[in-house]
Amino acid sequence: MENDVLNLINGTLQPALGGEWLENVEPATGAVYGRIARSGVDDVEAAVAAGRAAFPEWRAWSPADRRAVLHRLADKVAENAALLAESEARDNGKPVSLAAAVDIPRAEQNLRFYASAAEQFASESHTMGDGTVNYTLRKPLGVVGCISPWNLPLYLFTWKIAPALASGNCVVAKPSEVTPMTAYLLGTWAKEVGLPDGVLNILHGLGPEVGQAMVDHHHVRAISFTGGSSTGAAISAAAAPKFKKLSLELGGKNATVVFDDCDFDAALSTAIRAAFANQGQICLCGSRILVQDTIYERFRDAMVNKVSRMRIGDPMDPETKMGAVVSRAHRDKVLAAIATARGEGGTILCGGGRHQPREPRLQGGFFVQPTLIEGLDHTCVTNREEIFGPVATLQSFSDEREALGLANATKYGLSASVWTRDLQRAHRVASGIDTGMVWINCWLVRDLRTPFGGTRQSGVGREGGYNSMRFFTEPQNVCVKL
Ligand code: NAD
């Protein structure tokens, strides 16, 4: 049927072997617009078998040939950028302008970045001074699993499969069942660009079914996972007794820390973008805004003024800056979190509920007003648990020490952004914050070579640059007595 999302196994696009389907819902309308293959253990068996069969040939490809094929896949992304951006907006509810400016260009960039890494990745050697030399081989693992979430669908899917392929592995990848369309489209070009059958296999379906079967499979040597912290915990528990390599990129509850000597306008506009970009559904979103008490009221009022004027619209309209949240279930979760904030005594400064659009097409859509809340301290659930929607809180602090205490007062440790003109304080505060990444006077500026990942409940391991290439390879030391 039109809009069917099929598996890619051994170079063939096919329905799930069990013949079952899931519904694909458009978040802006609430309507079903396609079907998704609902894969299970048998599909995982077939995909892993295909990967194992393809591995000897694929690992023997020269780095230059792997580079070339990844560039050709990136070319397809570039040629089909408009189709991919529209598909992402329809599947996810994000504004098509955002998908066109961020998601799809970044997917292309991921493929090109790791195409280069295929050739540039190098390993170490250690000489012992007595004529003995050690050199370290970096061998691909075999078949690896890549599991990605719905918030940045093709962006995070390519962020995983590109280094896995560049380093010579065969891949079984599973995009989120909530937003599978762009990964499916990417798979339709695999053969045309020259990827041998079985090198890239893409399975669709539910996490606890097909995702779990990937994690459980004896011949899947590593799992690179991005998603929620509780799913990460379940995957860890299943993978640990099998001694799989694991990379876990999980949730966040990130602080935006605003000191009174900051560039006020830059801090304000970036704090708003950091809280509400992609409807607040980015793991790096700054959902806790900490502002020094000397400028708190001015900052809060300016923020409320701007946020309450943000317009929600049809994701498919190129003018829209804020679209739908990803699903009915997610909308209800976000609304429940706002109700919790009210119950905890929080003051809703703006937003606080569903948005009901006027357009007939959008009547059944999943829209939430951008919401700012104050009056809750760091012990409240609202300031401790990830909401992952267009909801942010404001808290004030008096000095650097208190700012650090608040910034670190969650179980997560993904990222933070710090706003000050005092260079010494900027570096001091950055090093005092227990997160994997800190931005100073900016947010979400990304150099793909840098280590990306979190501490504590935000994950284990780092992606980016050679970190991903190391994750997807096994070091083998060879010691030579000359
Ligand atoms: P999720 O954990 O529900 O799902 C992520 C993926 O895991 C999906 O493909 C899902 O099908 C699969 N999955 C679910 N249960 C599974 C299981 N038992 N075994 C194997 N696979 C399983 O997350 P989500 O709701 O799709 O995404 C939102 C979460 O992702 C948020 O918590 C967000 O912070 C996090 N996230 C983190 C990063 C990061 O880089 N740290 C980036 C984006 C999103």
Side-chain angles (χ1 to χ4, degrees):
M1 278 170 63
E2 198 196 354
N3 296 324
D4 275 0
V5 169
L6 302 170
N7 288 336
L8 175 68
I9 300 178
N10 204 22
T12 303
L13 293 163
Q14 59 189 65
L17 291 169
E20 289 193 58
W21 298 94
L22 300 164
E23 291 182 335
N24 198 5
V25 176
E26 180 175 356
T29 64
V32 174
Y33 81 100
R35 303 187 302 176
I36 307 163
R38 180 175 181 171
S39 314
V41 174
D42 292 347
D43 301 279
V44 174
E45 278 297 341
V48 174
R52 293 186 73 210
F55 181 58
E57 181 200 331
W58 177 241
R59 75 177 302 180
W61 274 40
S62 72
D65 288 342
R66 283 205 290 268
R67 171 179 59 83
V69 79
L70 284 171
H71 273 304
R72 287 199 294 276
L73 194 55
D75 293 341
K76 293 303 276 184
V77 172
E79 285 160 25
N80 293 282
L83 166 71
L84 288 167
E86 278 166 24
S87 305
E88 206 73 294
R90 188 172 198 195
D91 227 16
N92 173 281
K94 69 175 67 204
V96 68
S97 59
L98 182 72
V102 177
D103 293 72
I104 306 309
R106 175 59 193 276
E108 180 194 343
Q109 196 190 356
N110 288 338
L111 292 165
R112 297 204 190 284
F113 179 83
Y114 280 108
S116 304
E119 279 198 304
Q120 296 187 11
F121 186 44
S123 57
E124 310 86 42
S125 73
H126 301 84
T127 55
M128 296 179 70
D130 61 351
T132 309
V133 177
N134 295 269
Y135 62 88
T136 307
L137 296 173
R138 279 274 168 187
K139 298 172 156 184
L141 301 173
V143 179
V144 298
C146 297
I147 302 177
S148 51
W150 49 254
N151 63 325
L152 299 165
L154 192 64
Y155 174 138
L156 290 174
F157 187 80
T158 49
W159 182 235
K160 295 188 179 300
I161 65 161
L165 294 170
S167 50
N169 297 282
C170 293
V171 173
V172 178
K174 194 197 98 58
S176 171
E177 62 275 23
V178 187
T179 54
M181 185 55 88
T182 49
Y184 161 71
L185 290 171
L186 190 80
T188 64
W189 304 314
K191 212 188 258 296
E192 190 184 332
V193 301
L195 271 173
D197 292 350
V199 169
L200 174 61
N201 304 278
I202 303 175
L203 300 180
H204 299 279
L206 301 173
E209 296 177 2
V210 60
Q212 187 72 48
M214 286 166 60
V215 175
D216 287 342
H217 199 292
H218 179 62
H219 289 299
V220 174
R221 294 281 311 278
I223 294 286
S224 174
F225 169 80
T226 298
S229 298
S230 56
T231 314
I235 289 176
S236 288
K242 299 189 160 67
F243 307 108
K244 284 181 203 284
K245 280 185 101 171
L246 271 187
S247 169
L248 301 172
E249 300 292 340
L250 311 176
K253 189 77 181 173
N254 313 303
T256 301
V257 187
V258 183
F259 287 94
D260 62 5
D261 65 342
C262 68
D263 175 337
F264 189 91
D265 291 340
L268 179 67
S269 60
T270 310
I272 292 173
R273 196 163 58 85
F276 298 110
N278 205 36
Q279 296 69 246
Q281 302 166 133
I282 302 178
C283 55
L284 306 163
C285 273
S287 55
R288 295 182 300 135
I289 302 161
L290 314 177
V291 186
Q292 196 154 20
D293 49 12
T294 37
I295 58 164
Y296 179 81
E297 287 178 12
R298 184 176 155 226
F299 195 90
R300 175 198 63 196
D301 295 348
M303 197 162 188
V304 170
N305 182 29
K306 280 186 187 280
V307 172
S308 50
R309 284 190 283 125
M310 286 169 77
R311 288 279 156 267
I312 298 175
D314 188 339
M316 305 313 282
D317 177 346
E319 298 302 314
T320 294
K321 298 281 181 294
M322 185 152 200
V325 299
V326 78
S327 66
R328 181 187 303 276
H330 193 59
R331 177 199 64 195
D332 293 346
K333 183 177 160 243
V334 174
L335 294 175
I338 297 172
T340 299
R342 279 202 174 90
E344 289 182 310
T347 303
I348 310 293
L349 297 167
C350 60
R354 285 175 66 162
H355 168 75
Q356 195 54 54
R358 292 207 195 97
E359 298 90 322
R361 186 182 114 77
L362 308 180
Q363 288 308 304
F366 314 129
F367 297 92
V368 179
Q369 297 169 331
T371 300
L372 285 171
I373 303 167
E374 72 170 356
L376 295 175
D377 72 14
H378 64 280
T379 62
C380 290
V381 173
T382 307
N383 278 322
R384 286 192 283 120
E385 296 297 333
E386 184 184 49
I387 297 172
F388 214 57
V391 181
T393 63
L394 284 148
Q395 298 172 72
S396 74
F397 63 85
S398 59
D399 56 17
E400 203 175 301
R401 196 185 143 97
E402 193 184 1
L404 272 177
L406 289 176
N408 287 331
T410 77
K411 62 189 176 190
Y412 296 104
L414 191 55
S415 71
S417 80
V418 179
W419 292 83
T420 176
R421 285 189 168 107
D422 179 335
L423 197 60
Q424 301 210 4
R425 172 158 68 190
H427 294 295
R428 219 170 31 236
V429 172
S431 85
I433 294 182
D434 186 5
T435 57
M437 296 163 285
V438 178
W439 282 284
I440 296 173
N441 296 330
C442 59
W443 175 73
L444 200 44
V445 177
R446 291 281 292 118
D447 179 328
L448 302 189
R449 295 169 300 180
T450 59
F452 182 100
T455 64
R456 298 177 285 151
Q457 301 259 322
S458 291
V460 179
R462 292 293 183 274
E463 297 182 330
Y466 290 157
N467 295 291
S468 300
M469 299 296 281
R470 287 191 202 100
F471 174 74
F472 284 118
T473 53
E474 195 74 77
Q476 181 188 40
N477 189 66
V478 180
C479 180
V480 194
K481 185 86 183 163
L482 296 173

